[in-house]
Every structure is written in structure tokens, then in C-alpha cells.
Amino acid sequence: MTHPSAVSPQSPVPRGPYAAVIFDFGGVLTTPMDDTALCFAREIGLPDDAYRHAVAVDPTGRQLYAQLERGDISQEEWNTGIASLLGIDGTNLMGRALATLRPEQAMVTAAAQIRATGVRTAILSNSMGMAPHNPYAPWALEASHDVVVLSEQHRMRKPDPEIYELTLELLGLPGSACIFVDDNPGNLVPAQKLGITTIHATDPDRTVAQLRQLIPYHQ
């Protein structure tokens, strides 16, 4: 089996047809997660990189996030653990930290337009927990996509190969019929090994242009 590389503007355009596009959630269908981390740190009076460091760099924080994503701990337990690292109140910490998260409208629109052509769309997201704060609710994912896979509900997380296999199984498609869009390059590798064409989402306009190369659709 060939393993296609992540698509870039310089890469040859793979041959279709594609039957589905799988989207990551945070940082793809939403505004950048780093922006929300910066806003939250400033709001609570900490250094600009404090919150991002706690959740993405500090080994304890990274372990807590991995446990949350797998459903091994609740969002409330995560709130308490991250708050302890930061020395702040943990009440609804996830909700407060994500208060500035917004839809990345160009990507949300592109997903809807792609789906309108008959190409199926799916969400494959490492979960941020769903209670007491549900970050997915404003996006109405189940109504907007054919398949939604949130890691905590399946007790596995990206980049576990099994969660990609599960997504393909739920779509009823081979990897070669799918495109996967994620802002974390490490999450693209398992998809490529399953024959999925991947796009590293670094900029919404560029990502939309890459999707148009692969699946021509009209605005």
C-alpha cells in the first residue's frame, strides 16, 4: 500500500475520486487554539505562554490532557489538575479557557459545501471533555457531518491507529477514498499509513485551496 504524503501547494495533486473528508475540530474548524490560550493567560493575569505551557509542554499537564482525551478522567478532574499547575481557581476552567474559541468560518463553509456535493464529511477530534462545558455544542456537529468521532467516547485518541481505523469503519470506506485535515502534523502520520490523503492545516485559506484541488466544488 502506498502512503501518500501531506498535501502542500507544491505537491502533485493526488487522483480522486474521494468519497469523504475527515476534519479535526480544534484549530481546523475553529480559530487557533494557541490564540485562545494566549487570550486566557492574559485574562487571568499570567504570562502570555503560561496556559499553553501548562497544557501542552509541562509533562504533568500533557498527561492530564491525554487522560482527558481518552476518557480516563473527567473534565472536572482535568480542571482541578491544570488549575493546580497554574495556581488558579479551577471552576469551569475548560469553559473559561475556551471562551474566545470561535468557528473558523472559511473551513466551516468549505465543509458544508463539500458535503453538499455528495462527499461525506466526518469529525475526528481528541476530546476536550463535554461536561460541565461542551465545546462542541455551538457547532452542531452531528447535524452537520455524517460521522463524529470524539476520542473520549471510544477510549482512544489520536495518534492511536485504532481511532483512524474506527473512523473509516464508521464511514464504510477505505483510506484511499478519504482525505484527513489536521493542524497537528503528528496526527497525520497514522492516517497516511492507512492510505488516507492528508492536509496539514496551517492557514484556513490555504487549506481551502488544497481541498479545492482535491475535490472541486463551487461556492
Side-chain angles (χ1 to χ4, degrees), residues 23-68:
F23 294 93
D24 177 36
F25 177 73
V28 174
L29 296 183
T30 78
T31 49
M33 301 298 292
D34 284 353
D35 289 357
T36 66
L38 173 62
C39 288
F40 180 60
R42 289 178 175 176
E43 178 188 330
I44 60 178
L46 292 177
D48 285 356
D49 66 345
Y51 176 70
R52 183 186 181 281
H53 187 276
V55 300
V57 179
D58 184 285
T60 299
R62 287 172 59 88
Q63 181 180 25
L64 284 168
Y65 230 126
Q67 290 174 322
L68 176 67

mmCIF file of all heavy atoms in Angstrom, residues 23-68:
data_model
loop_
_atom_site.group_PDB
_atom_site.id
_atom_site.type_symbol
_atom_site.label_atom_id
_atom_site.label_comp_id
_atom_site.label_asym_id
_atom_site.label_seq_id
_atom_site.Cartn_x
_atom_site.Cartn_y
_atom_site.Cartn_z
ATOM 1 N N PHE A 23 -12.344 15.826 9.175
ATOM 2 C CA PHE A 23 -11.805 17.060 9.734
ATOM 3 C C PHE A 23 -11.491 16.902 11.218
ATOM 4 O O PHE A 23 -12.308 16.366 11.974
ATOM 5 C CB PHE A 23 -12.815 18.206 9.597
ATOM 6 C CG PHE A 23 -13.109 18.629 8.190
ATOM 7 C CD1 PHE A 23 -14.184 18.075 7.502
ATOM 8 C CD2 PHE A 23 -12.333 19.588 7.562
ATOM 9 C CE1 PHE A 23 -14.485 18.472 6.200
ATOM 10 C CE2 PHE A 23 -12.623 19.985 6.261
ATOM 11 C CZ PHE A 23 -13.690 19.433 5.579
ATOM 12 N N ASP A 24 -10.333 17.403 11.618
ATOM 13 C CA ASP A 24 -10.092 17.658 13.034
ATOM 14 C C ASP A 24 -10.995 18.815 13.456
ATOM 15 O O ASP A 24 -11.502 19.563 12.605
ATOM 16 C CB ASP A 24 -8.611 18.009 13.231
ATOM 17 C CG ASP A 24 -8.271 18.363 14.654
ATOM 18 O OD1 ASP A 24 -8.838 17.752 15.581
ATOM 19 O OD2 ASP A 24 -7.426 19.260 14.851
ATOM 20 N N PHE A 25 -11.186 18.977 14.747
ATOM 21 C CA PHE A 25 -12.040 20.051 15.240
ATOM 22 C C PHE A 25 -11.219 21.277 15.661
ATOM 23 O O PHE A 25 -11.152 22.265 14.941
ATOM 24 C CB PHE A 25 -12.901 19.548 16.399
ATOM 25 C CG PHE A 25 -13.760 20.600 17.022
ATOM 26 C CD1 PHE A 25 -14.880 21.079 16.355
ATOM 27 C CD2 PHE A 25 -13.460 21.123 18.277
ATOM 28 C CE1 PHE A 25 -15.680 22.065 16.913
ATOM 29 C CE2 PHE A 25 -14.258 22.104 18.855
ATOM 30 C CZ PHE A 25 -15.361 22.577 18.179
ATOM 31 N N GLY A 26 -10.573 21.221 16.832
ATOM 32 C CA GLY A 26 -9.858 22.376 17.357
ATOM 33 C C GLY A 26 -8.693 22.789 16.477
ATOM 34 O O GLY A 26 -7.797 22.000 16.212
ATOM 35 N N GLY A 27 -8.703 24.033 16.032
ATOM 36 C CA GLY A 27 -7.632 24.538 15.184
ATOM 37 C C GLY A 27 -7.852 24.304 13.712
ATOM 38 O O GLY A 27 -7.044 24.761 12.890
ATOM 39 N N VAL A 28 -8.915 23.586 13.360
ATOM 40 C CA VAL A 28 -9.269 23.373 11.947
ATOM 41 C C VAL A 28 -10.635 24.000 11.677
ATOM 42 O O VAL A 28 -10.760 24.935 10.886
ATOM 43 C CB VAL A 28 -9.251 21.879 11.573
ATOM 44 C CG1 VAL A 28 -9.765 21.662 10.150
ATOM 45 C CG2 VAL A 28 -7.823 21.333 11.682
ATOM 46 N N LEU A 29 -11.670 23.494 12.337
ATOM 47 C CA LEU A 29 -12.990 24.101 12.207
ATOM 48 C C LEU A 29 -13.178 25.273 13.172
ATOM 49 O O LEU A 29 -14.199 25.959 13.129
ATOM 50 C CB LEU A 29 -14.088 23.066 12.440
ATOM 51 C CG LEU A 29 -14.161 21.930 11.421
ATOM 52 C CD1 LEU A 29 -15.332 21.017 11.742
ATOM 53 C CD2 LEU A 29 -14.275 22.445 9.994
ATOM 54 N N THR A 30 -12.173 25.475 14.038
ATOM 55 C CA THR A 30 -12.220 26.590 14.982
ATOM 56 C C THR A 30 -11.046 27.525 14.733
ATOM 57 O O THR A 30 -10.098 27.192 14.024
ATOM 58 C CB THR A 30 -12.128 26.107 16.435
ATOM 59 O OG1 THR A 30 -10.751 25.780 16.742
ATOM 60 C CG2 THR A 30 -12.998 24.892 16.685
ATOM 61 N N THR A 31 -11.124 28.694 15.349
ATOM 62 C CA THR A 31 -9.976 29.593 15.370
ATOM 63 C C THR A 31 -8.830 28.905 16.112
ATOM 64 O O THR A 31 -9.045 27.924 16.836
ATOM 65 C CB THR A 31 -10.366 30.903 16.057
ATOM 66 O OG1 THR A 31 -11.036 30.617 17.298
ATOM 67 C CG2 THR A 31 -11.280 31.738 15.163
ATOM 68 N N PRO A 32 -7.587 29.374 15.945
ATOM 69 C CA PRO A 32 -6.434 28.664 16.508
ATOM 70 C C PRO A 32 -6.498 28.492 18.025
ATOM 71 O O PRO A 32 -6.839 29.420 18.759
ATOM 72 C CB PRO A 32 -5.246 29.548 16.106
ATOM 73 C CG PRO A 32 -5.707 30.249 14.869
ATOM 74 C CD PRO A 32 -7.174 30.504 15.094
ATOM 75 N N MET A 33 -6.159 27.299 18.469
ATOM 76 C CA MET A 33 -6.161 27.014 19.899
ATOM 77 C C MET A 33 -5.115 27.854 20.632
ATOM 78 O O MET A 33 -5.333 28.245 21.780
ATOM 79 C CB MET A 33 -5.900 25.517 20.131
ATOM 80 C CG MET A 33 -6.925 24.596 19.483
ATOM 81 S SD MET A 33 -8.599 24.826 20.128
ATOM 82 C CE MET A 33 -8.407 24.204 21.796
ATOM 83 N N ASP A 34 -3.991 28.134 19.992
ATOM 84 C CA ASP A 34 -2.965 28.959 20.636
ATOM 85 C C ASP A 34 -3.490 30.361 20.916
ATOM 86 O O ASP A 34 -3.088 30.992 21.894
ATOM 87 C CB ASP A 34 -1.710 29.030 19.773
ATOM 88 C CG ASP A 34 -0.884 27.755 19.843
ATOM 89 O OD1 ASP A 34 -1.208 26.864 20.652
ATOM 90 O OD2 ASP A 34 0.099 27.649 19.080
ATOM 91 N N ASP A 35 -4.374 30.860 20.060
ATOM 92 C CA ASP A 35 -4.942 32.193 20.286
ATOM 93 C C ASP A 35 -5.804 32.205 21.542
ATOM 94 O O ASP A 35 -5.769 33.164 22.327
ATOM 95 C CB ASP A 35 -5.776 32.634 19.079
ATOM 96 C CG ASP A 35 -4.939 32.951 17.855
ATOM 97 O OD1 ASP A 35 -3.687 32.884 17.946
ATOM 98 O OD2 ASP A 35 -5.520 33.254 16.802
ATOM 99 N N THR A 36 -6.587 31.149 21.719
ATOM 100 C CA THR A 36 -7.428 31.091 22.915
ATOM 101 C C THR A 36 -6.561 30.968 24.168
ATOM 102 O O THR A 36 -6.881 31.549 25.207
ATOM 103 C CB THR A 36 -8.423 29.915 22.861
ATOM 104 O OG1 THR A 36 -7.715 28.673 22.901
ATOM 105 C CG2 THR A 36 -9.267 29.969 21.602
ATOM 106 N N ALA A 37 -5.474 30.210 24.067
ATOM 107 C CA ALA A 37 -4.570 30.051 25.207
ATOM 108 C C ALA A 37 -3.953 31.390 25.596
ATOM 109 O O ALA A 37 -3.832 31.724 26.783
ATOM 110 C CB ALA A 37 -3.481 29.038 24.869
ATOM 111 N N LEU A 38 -3.551 32.165 24.606
ATOM 112 C CA LEU A 38 -2.970 33.482 24.859
ATOM 113 C C LEU A 38 -3.997 34.415 25.503
ATOM 114 O O LEU A 38 -3.700 35.101 26.496
ATOM 115 C CB LEU A 38 -2.466 34.073 23.546
ATOM 116 C CG LEU A 38 -1.968 35.518 23.578
ATOM 117 C CD1 LEU A 38 -0.766 35.650 24.504
ATOM 118 C CD2 LEU A 38 -1.605 35.989 22.168
ATOM 119 N N CYS A 39 -5.206 34.437 24.945
ATOM 120 C CA CYS A 39 -6.255 35.307 25.497
ATOM 121 C C CYS A 39 -6.566 34.954 26.941
ATOM 122 O O CYS A 39 -6.740 35.839 27.798
ATOM 123 C CB CYS A 39 -7.514 35.211 24.647
ATOM 124 S SG CYS A 39 -7.392 36.001 23.035
ATOM 125 N N PHE A 40 -6.641 33.662 27.228
ATOM 126 C CA PHE A 40 -6.976 33.246 28.586
ATOM 127 C C PHE A 40 -5.862 33.621 29.563
ATOM 128 O O PHE A 40 -6.130 34.117 30.664
ATOM 129 C CB PHE A 40 -7.250 31.749 28.632
ATOM 130 C CG PHE A 40 -7.601 31.234 29.995
ATOM 131 C CD1 PHE A 40 -8.711 31.729 30.672
ATOM 132 C CD2 PHE A 40 -6.833 30.262 30.610
ATOM 133 C CE1 PHE A 40 -9.042 31.265 31.942
ATOM 134 C CE2 PHE A 40 -7.161 29.790 31.874
ATOM 135 C CZ PHE A 40 -8.264 30.296 32.538
ATOM 136 N N ALA A 41 -4.615 33.392 29.177
ATOM 137 C CA ALA A 41 -3.496 33.738 30.054
ATOM 138 C C ALA A 41 -3.512 35.223 30.392
ATOM 139 O O ALA A 41 -3.303 35.618 31.554
ATOM 140 C CB ALA A 41 -2.175 33.354 29.389
ATOM 141 N N ARG A 42 -3.776 36.045 29.402
ATOM 142 C CA ARG A 42 -3.826 37.489 29.646
ATOM 143 C C ARG A 42 -5.009 37.853 30.541
ATOM 144 O O ARG A 42 -4.897 38.721 31.416
ATOM 145 C CB ARG A 42 -3.915 38.237 28.315
ATOM 146 C CG ARG A 42 -2.617 38.173 27.521
ATOM 147 C CD ARG A 42 -2.733 38.873 26.174
ATOM 148 N NE ARG A 42 -1.435 38.895 25.486
ATOM 149 C CZ ARG A 42 -1.257 39.367 24.259
ATOM 150 N NH1 ARG A 42 -2.296 39.849 23.569
ATOM 151 N NH2 ARG A 42 -0.059 39.361 23.707
ATOM 152 N N GLU A 43 -6.133 37.169 30.333
ATOM 153 C CA GLU A 43 -7.331 37.474 31.121
ATOM 154 C C GLU A 43 -7.109 37.206 32.600
ATOM 155 O O GLU A 43 -7.598 37.952 33.469
ATOM 156 C CB GLU A 43 -8.496 36.628 30.616
ATOM 157 C CG GLU A 43 -9.790 36.834 31.398
ATOM 158 C CD GLU A 43 -10.875 35.836 31.005
ATOM 159 O OE1 GLU A 43 -10.882 35.398 29.844
ATOM 160 O OE2 GLU A 43 -11.688 35.501 31.883
ATOM 161 N N ILE A 44 -6.369 36.139 32.912
ATOM 162 C CA ILE A 44 -6.173 35.793 34.326
ATOM 163 C C ILE A 44 -4.873 36.372 34.886
ATOM 164 O O ILE A 44 -4.492 36.077 36.015
ATOM 165 C CB ILE A 44 -6.214 34.261 34.536
ATOM 166 C CG1 ILE A 44 -5.120 33.555 33.722
ATOM 167 C CG2 ILE A 44 -7.596 33.721 34.179
ATOM 168 C CD1 ILE A 44 -5.078 32.048 33.935
ATOM 169 N N GLY A 45 -4.189 37.199 34.091
ATOM 170 C CA GLY A 45 -3.023 37.915 34.588
ATOM 171 C C GLY A 45 -1.748 37.102 34.683
ATOM 172 O O GLY A 45 -0.852 37.437 35.472
ATOM 173 N N LEU A 46 -1.628 36.056 33.862
ATOM 174 C CA LEU A 46 -0.418 35.245 33.832
ATOM 175 C C LEU A 46 0.405 35.583 32.588
ATOM 176 O O LEU A 46 -0.114 36.205 31.649
ATOM 177 C CB LEU A 46 -0.782 33.762 33.834
ATOM 178 C CG LEU A 46 -1.417 33.223 35.125
ATOM 179 C CD1 LEU A 46 -1.785 31.757 34.956
ATOM 180 C CD2 LEU A 46 -0.489 33.404 36.315
ATOM 181 N N PRO A 47 1.672 35.192 32.526
ATOM 182 C CA PRO A 47 2.476 35.413 31.320
ATOM 183 C C PRO A 47 1.785 34.808 30.091
ATOM 184 O O PRO A 47 1.054 33.814 30.194
ATOM 185 C CB PRO A 47 3.787 34.704 31.626
ATOM 186 C CG PRO A 47 3.888 34.740 33.119
ATOM 187 C CD PRO A 47 2.475 34.600 33.615
ATOM 188 N N ASP A 48 2.033 35.402 28.930
ATOM 189 C CA ASP A 48 1.328 35.017 27.714
ATOM 190 C C ASP A 48 1.359 33.525 27.422
ATOM 191 O O ASP A 48 0.385 32.958 26.927
ATOM 192 C CB ASP A 48 1.914 35.770 26.509
ATOM 193 C CG ASP A 48 1.490 37.228 26.469
ATOM 194 O OD1 ASP A 48 0.689 37.652 27.321
ATOM 195 O OD2 ASP A 48 1.980 37.949 25.574
ATOM 196 N N ASP A 49 2.479 32.875 27.718
ATOM 197 C CA ASP A 49 2.612 31.459 27.360
ATOM 198 C C ASP A 49 2.278 30.518 28.523
ATOM 199 O O ASP A 49 2.450 29.301 28.403
ATOM 200 C CB ASP A 49 4.023 31.162 26.850
ATOM 201 C CG ASP A 49 5.099 31.337 27.928
ATOM 202 O OD1 ASP A 49 4.799 31.952 28.982
ATOM 203 O OD2 ASP A 49 6.226 30.865 27.712
ATOM 204 N N ALA A 50 1.769 31.031 29.624
ATOM 205 C CA ALA A 50 1.603 30.215 30.829
ATOM 206 C C ALA A 50 0.590 29.097 30.645
ATOM 207 O O ALA A 50 0.849 27.941 31.006
ATOM 208 C CB ALA A 50 1.199 31.100 32.006
ATOM 209 N N TYR A 51 -0.581 29.429 30.114
ATOM 210 C CA TYR A 51 -1.606 28.396 29.974
ATOM 211 C C TYR A 51 -1.195 27.363 28.931
ATOM 212 O O TYR A 51 -1.319 26.151 29.166
ATOM 213 C CB TYR A 51 -2.953 29.022 29.615
ATOM 214 C CG TYR A 51 -4.028 27.994 29.367
ATOM 215 C CD1 TYR A 51 -4.546 27.237 30.408
ATOM 216 C CD2 TYR A 51 -4.505 27.750 28.078
ATOM 217 C CE1 TYR A 51 -5.522 26.272 30.178
ATOM 218 C CE2 TYR A 51 -5.479 26.792 27.846
ATOM 219 C CZ TYR A 51 -5.979 26.065 28.891
ATOM 220 O OH TYR A 51 -6.931 25.106 28.655
ATOM 221 N N ARG A 52 -0.715 27.821 27.784
ATOM 222 C CA ARG A 52 -0.289 26.876 26.753
ATOM 223 C C ARG A 52 0.810 25.967 27.280
ATOM 224 O O ARG A 52 0.813 24.761 27.019
ATOM 225 C CB ARG A 52 0.195 27.608 25.502
ATOM 226 C CG ARG A 52 0.576 26.648 24.375
ATOM 227 C CD ARG A 52 1.185 27.344 23.185
ATOM 228 N NE ARG A 52 1.508 26.379 22.145
ATOM 229 C CZ ARG A 52 2.581 25.591 22.149
ATOM 230 N NH1 ARG A 52 3.446 25.675 23.160
ATOM 231 N NH2 ARG A 52 2.791 24.721 21.175
ATOM 232 N N HIS A 53 1.750 26.515 28.037
ATOM 233 C CA HIS A 53 2.832 25.696 28.594
ATOM 234 C C HIS A 53 2.265 24.639 29.538
ATOM 235 O O HIS A 53 2.689 23.476 29.515
ATOM 236 C CB HIS A 53 3.828 26.585 29.330
ATOM 237 C CG HIS A 53 5.051 25.850 29.801
ATOM 238 N ND1 HIS A 53 5.083 25.143 30.995
ATOM 239 C CD2 HIS A 53 6.275 25.685 29.231
ATOM 240 C CE1 HIS A 53 6.274 24.585 31.147
ATOM 241 N NE2 HIS A 53 7.018 24.892 30.088
ATOM 242 N N ALA A 54 1.288 25.041 30.354
ATOM 243 C CA ALA A 54 0.717 24.101 31.327
ATOM 244 C C ALA A 54 0.044 22.920 30.654
ATOM 245 O O ALA A 54 0.149 21.784 31.129
ATOM 246 C CB ALA A 54 -0.264 24.828 32.236
ATOM 247 N N VAL A 55 -0.643 23.150 29.539
ATOM 248 C CA VAL A 55 -1.420 22.068 28.928
ATOM 249 C C VAL A 55 -0.663 21.329 27.826
ATOM 250 O O VAL A 55 -0.990 20.175 27.520
ATOM 251 C CB VAL A 55 -2.765 22.587 28.362
ATOM 252 C CG1 VAL A 55 -3.600 23.202 29.471
ATOM 253 C CG2 VAL A 55 -2.558 23.578 27.224
ATOM 254 N N ALA A 56 0.347 21.976 27.224
ATOM 255 C CA ALA A 56 0.981 21.375 26.043
ATOM 256 C C ALA A 56 2.458 21.068 26.211
ATOM 257 O O ALA A 56 3.020 20.339 25.391
ATOM 258 C CB ALA A 56 0.805 22.301 24.831
ATOM 259 N N VAL A 57 3.091 21.600 27.260
ATOM 260 C CA VAL A 57 4.537 21.408 27.437
ATOM 261 C C VAL A 57 4.848 20.705 28.754
ATOM 262 O O VAL A 57 5.609 19.735 28.786
ATOM 263 C CB VAL A 57 5.282 22.761 27.354
ATOM 264 C CG1 VAL A 57 6.789 22.546 27.577
ATOM 265 C CG2 VAL A 57 5.027 23.453 26.015
ATOM 266 N N ASP A 58 4.284 21.183 29.836
ATOM 267 C CA ASP A 58 4.523 20.591 31.144
ATOM 268 C C ASP A 58 4.131 19.106 31.116
ATOM 269 O O ASP A 58 3.022 18.768 30.698
ATOM 270 C CB ASP A 58 3.684 21.327 32.192
ATOM 271 C CG ASP A 58 3.953 20.821 33.596
ATOM 272 O OD1 ASP A 58 3.479 19.709 33.939
ATOM 273 O OD2 ASP A 58 4.621 21.529 34.359
ATOM 274 N N PRO A 59 5.026 18.203 31.538
ATOM 275 C CA PRO A 59 4.720 16.757 31.454
ATOM 276 C C PRO A 59 3.442 16.367 32.204
ATOM 277 O O PRO A 59 2.676 15.519 31.729
ATOM 278 C CB PRO A 59 5.957 16.094 32.071
ATOM 279 C CG PRO A 59 7.047 17.091 31.880
ATOM 280 C CD PRO A 59 6.406 18.436 32.012
ATOM 281 N N THR A 60 3.208 16.973 33.358
ATOM 282 C CA THR A 60 2.001 16.659 34.114
ATOM 283 C C THR A 60 0.764 17.125 33.362
ATOM 284 O O THR A 60 -0.244 16.408 33.275
ATOM 285 C CB THR A 60 2.049 17.307 35.508
ATOM 286 O OG1 THR A 60 3.173 16.786 36.228
ATOM 287 C CG2 THR A 60 0.774 17.012 36.293
ATOM 288 N N GLY A 61 0.838 18.323 32.797
ATOM 289 C CA GLY A 61 -0.281 18.846 32.032
ATOM 290 C C GLY A 61 -0.561 18.032 30.786
ATOM 291 O O GLY A 61 -1.727 17.780 30.445
ATOM 292 N N ARG A 62 0.489 17.610 30.115
ATOM 293 C CA ARG A 62 0.320 16.778 28.917
ATOM 294 C C ARG A 62 -0.333 15.448 29.277
ATOM 295 O O ARG A 62 -1.205 14.954 28.540
ATOM 296 C CB ARG A 62 1.662 16.544 28.246
ATOM 297 C CG ARG A 62 2.210 17.769 27.519
ATOM 298 C CD ARG A 62 3.645 17.542 27.043
ATOM 299 N NE ARG A 62 3.740 16.401 26.153
ATOM 300 C CZ ARG A 62 3.571 16.459 24.843
ATOM 301 N NH1 ARG A 62 3.278 17.609 24.261
ATOM 302 N NH2 ARG A 62 3.698 15.374 24.093
ATOM 303 N N GLN A 63 0.086 14.875 30.420
ATOM 304 C CA GLN A 63 -0.511 13.611 30.845
ATOM 305 C C GLN A 63 -1.992 13.797 31.184
ATOM 306 O O GLN A 63 -2.832 12.959 30.823
ATOM 307 C CB GLN A 63 0.227 13.052 32.053
ATOM 308 C CG GLN A 63 -0.322 11.711 32.533
ATOM 309 C CD GLN A 63 0.419 11.180 33.740
ATOM 310 O OE1 GLN A 63 1.008 11.936 34.507
ATOM 311 N NE2 GLN A 63 0.399 9.868 33.913
ATOM 312 N N LEU A 64 -2.316 14.901 31.836
ATOM 313 C CA LEU A 64 -3.714 15.173 32.170
ATOM 314 C C LEU A 64 -4.555 15.305 30.901
ATOM 315 O O LEU A 64 -5.677 14.792 30.830
ATOM 316 C CB LEU A 64 -3.819 16.453 33.001
ATOM 317 C CG LEU A 64 -3.409 16.349 34.466
ATOM 318 C CD1 LEU A 64 -3.281 17.738 35.082
ATOM 319 C CD2 LEU A 64 -4.426 15.517 35.252
ATOM 320 N N TYR A 65 -4.010 15.987 29.893
ATOM 321 C CA TYR A 65 -4.769 16.155 28.651
ATOM 322 C C TYR A 65 -4.974 14.803 27.960
ATOM 323 O O TYR A 65 -6.058 14.507 27.444
ATOM 324 C CB TYR A 65 -4.063 17.131 27.710
ATOM 325 C CG TYR A 65 -5.007 18.194 27.188
ATOM 326 C CD1 TYR A 65 -4.712 19.538 27.314
ATOM 327 C CD2 TYR A 65 -6.213 17.846 26.584
ATOM 328 C CE1 TYR A 65 -5.584 20.518 26.857
ATOM 329 C CE2 TYR A 65 -7.096 18.818 26.122
ATOM 330 C CZ TYR A 65 -6.772 20.151 26.258
ATOM 331 O OH TYR A 65 -7.645 21.103 25.808
ATOM 332 N N ALA A 66 -3.924 13.980 27.947
ATOM 333 C CA ALA A 66 -4.051 12.658 27.328
ATOM 334 C C ALA A 66 -5.096 11.819 28.053
ATOM 335 O O ALA A 66 -5.899 11.102 27.433
ATOM 336 C CB ALA A 66 -2.699 11.947 27.325
ATOM 337 N N GLN A 67 -5.127 11.920 29.374
ATOM 338 C CA GLN A 67 -6.124 11.177 30.149
ATOM 339 C C GLN A 67 -7.530 11.685 29.864
ATOM 340 O O GLN A 67 -8.479 10.895 29.756
ATOM 341 C CB GLN A 67 -5.804 11.297 31.645
ATOM 342 C CG GLN A 67 -4.553 10.549 32.067
ATOM 343 C CD GLN A 67 -4.199 10.814 33.520
ATOM 344 O OE1 GLN A 67 -4.345 11.936 34.016
ATOM 345 N NE2 GLN A 67 -3.743 9.788 34.220
ATOM 346 N N LEU A 68 -7.670 12.998 29.734
ATOM 347 C CA LEU A 68 -8.976 13.573 29.392
ATOM 348 C C LEU A 68 -9.416 13.109 28.007
ATOM 349 O O LEU A 68 -10.577 12.718 27.807
ATOM 350 C CB LEU A 68 -8.883 15.103 29.423
ATOM 351 C CG LEU A 68 -10.145 15.866 29.003
ATOM 352 C CD1 LEU A 68 -11.270 15.645 30.005
ATOM 353 C CD2 LEU A 68 -9.840 17.348 28.843
#
